[in-house]
Amino acid sequence: MRTPDHITDPVDPVPVVNIANALTVFRILLVPVFIVVLFIDGGHDTVWRIVAALVFAGAAFTDRVDGRLARERGLVTDFGKMADPIADKALIGAALIGLSVLGDLSWWVTGIIGVRELWVTLLRFWVIRYAVIPASRGGKLKTLLQSVGIGLLVLPLGGAWHTAAMVIMWVAVAVTVVTGIDYTWQALRVRVQAARSDSTTGSLRKSPTPPAEPRASSKSRSSSKSTVSAERARDDDGRVDVDTSSPRHSDTV
């Protein structure tokens, strides 16, 4: 029985329905649950704020788990590359808007982060035809800072804890802007390279095919051969010695 060859044997495609993508979808489903719990009793009940923080922490934890599972088990798919950042943006965006509505976070913080996330999402769809740009390390750091800051703000904390949460959010805003600029640059590079590739392909398709040389008739070829033979038979005195005998077949083909 032949043992499998991991180099020459064909590789089965990764199924879209897998544990990593299931966790990503589950995180998206937790977003409305988090919003409902956050606003129970006006959004300032201590118990429900703790419950909301736990729901948010659970959803954020799935982001770490699904990415690790996808890499370790070879479950990376284009759907996961697209759905994972969208799930993060949905969770973070809902939490930021909820906290701003409750007066616990300035709207300018929510506005900057929200505009950046919307812009990056649009860029993803702009280049999806040519490439899928996965989340970078800077993007992961941005998500981590935002998650920690939001988690502290959701909890009913005050004093130094609230100050620490706001400092983390300000750092998160800075990283958010920097990574947004970096992602814009990557998307532009993808589009420029795609445009150059399309231009090269179009030029190759439009290049004219050189016309085939007309084939000489048998009569013309015969006349040409006679002329060449006559020229070769010309001696130094300018006389022409034409062999009128019948041509012989060559010994070589």
Side-chain angles (χ1 to χ4, degrees):
M1 181 177 180
R2 188 181 72 89
T3 59
D5 190 336
H6 299 289
I7 298 178
T8 60
D9 289 349
V11 179
D12 295 333
V14 179
V16 176
V17 180
N18 55 62
I19 183 63
N21 290 342
L23 288 174
T24 301
V25 174
F26 178 68
R27 183 162 69 256
I28 296 176
L29 296 177
L30 283 179
V31 173
V33 176
F34 165 74
I35 290 296
V36 171
V37 175
L38 179 64
F39 281 92
I40 291 179
D41 289 340
H44 296 287
D45 183 82
T46 300
V47 175
W48 286 112
R49 288 292 288 259
I50 295 176
V51 175
L54 292 176
V55 174
F56 180 84
F61 180 72
T62 61
D63 179 40
R64 306 291 297 178
V65 175
D66 62 2
R68 181 174 300 177
L69 287 175
R71 291 187 297 270
E72 292 179 352
R73 300 189 180 184
L75 300 177
V76 179
T77 62
D78 287 343
F79 172 81
K81 292 179 182 179
M82 288 296 299
D84 183 71
I86 292 176
D88 295 338
K89 291 172 175 57
L91 179 64
I92 297 297
L96 292 174
I97 294 174
L99 290 173
S100 295
V101 171
L102 294 174
D104 296 330
L105 183 66
S106 299
W107 277 104
W108 68 266
V109 176
T110 300
I112 291 177
I113 296 178
V115 169
R116 184 269 185 192
E117 302 299 347
L118 178 61
W119 170 250
V120 170
T121 301
L122 293 176
L123 287 176
R124 286 183 182 274
F125 286 103
W126 188 47
V127 301
I128 191 174
R129 177 185 174 187
Y130 307 100
V132 176
I133 304 178
S136 62
R137 292 184 178 180
K140 292 294 185 181
L141 175 62
K142 175 263 305 179
T143 302
L144 177 61
L145 292 172
Q146 291 177 357
S147 300
V148 173
I150 291 173
L152 293 175
L153 289 175
V154 173
L155 286 171
L157 302 174
W161 284 104
H162 185 269
T163 302
M166 292 307 303
V167 171
I168 293 175
M169 287 304 302
W170 293 336
V171 176
V173 169
V175 177
T176 298
V177 173
V178 172
T179 54
I181 296 174
D182 176 68
Y183 194 93
T184 301
W185 173 248
Q186 292 186 54
L188 289 175
R189 286 177 56 188
V190 170
R191 290 295 300 224
V192 169
Q193 292 175 0
R196 290 177 178 175
S197 177
D198 292 343
S199 177
T200 303
T201 303
S203 299
L204 293 176
R205 290 178 178 176
K206 293 180 180 179
S207 58
T209 303
E213 296 182 357
R215 302 179 62 180
S217 62
S218 58
K219 182 177 181 180
S220 300
R221 290 197 299 268
S222 177
S223 175
S224 176
K225 290 181 179 179
S226 300
T227 303
V228 172
S229 300
E231 291 293 337
R232 289 179 178 177
R234 189 182 301 272
D235 58 10
D236 295 336
D237 298 332
R239 293 174 299 175
V240 178
D241 184 11
V242 180
D243 186 7
T244 57
S245 63
S246 60
R248 295 176 299 176
H249 294 286
S250 174
D251 297 331
T252 60
V253 178

